[in-house]
Amino acid sequence: MLQLIMTKKLNKYISINPRVVGGEPVISGTRIPVERVYNLIKQGESVEKLKENYPDVSSKKIQYVIAYLMKAGLDEFKKTQKIQIAS
């Protein structure tokens, strides 16, 4: 249930479009791959530093994407999104 609620809310923050970055999940309204954010956070990047690097992205979007990915993991996220796209 929590996964479904988080996934519905996530649609405001992450989008997938075959014409944008080859269909990779990106932060909505940008061409910033979610995987890039995930890897930067795993390497110790702070939210403040991400905000400096991507000033056009709201802190709320960055924080929500990070929170979700840290909880669910990138692989689970990709699996969930592929299932939704196929439906």
Side-chain angles (χ1 to χ4, degrees):
M1 178 76 168
L2 178 61
Q3 181 73 19
L4 180 61
I5 292 168
M6 290 184 78
T7 302
K8 285 183 180 182
K9 287 183 180 180
L10 193 62
N11 290 335
K12 292 191 296 187
Y13 303 104
I14 295 178
S15 60
I16 298 175
N17 181 332
R19 290 179 261 165
V20 178
V21 191
E24 287 295 313
V26 297
I27 297 177
S28 294
T30 75
R31 297 180 62 82
I32 302 168
V34 169
E35 188 167 6
R36 180 180 297 154
V37 173
Y38 179 80
N39 288 328
L40 288 170
I41 291 299
K42 280 181 59 176
Q43 294 170 13
E45 196 81 35
S46 68
V47 174
E48 293 79 20
K49 186 68 173 172
L50 285 171
K51 186 66 181 146
E52 286 177 26
N53 292 333
Y54 305 111
D56 294 334
V57 179
S58 74
S59 294
K60 185 175 182 176
K61 277 187 181 181
I62 291 172
Q63 290 171 344
Y64 197 89
V65 168
I66 291 168
Y68 178 82
L69 292 175
M70 289 297 147
K71 183 162 181 69
L74 183 60
D75 291 339
E76 184 63 28
F77 170 75
K78 285 183 175 181
K79 178 181 165 187
T80 302
Q81 294 303 311
K82 285 179 184 176
I83 291 169
Q84 286 182 353
I85 290 170
S87 298

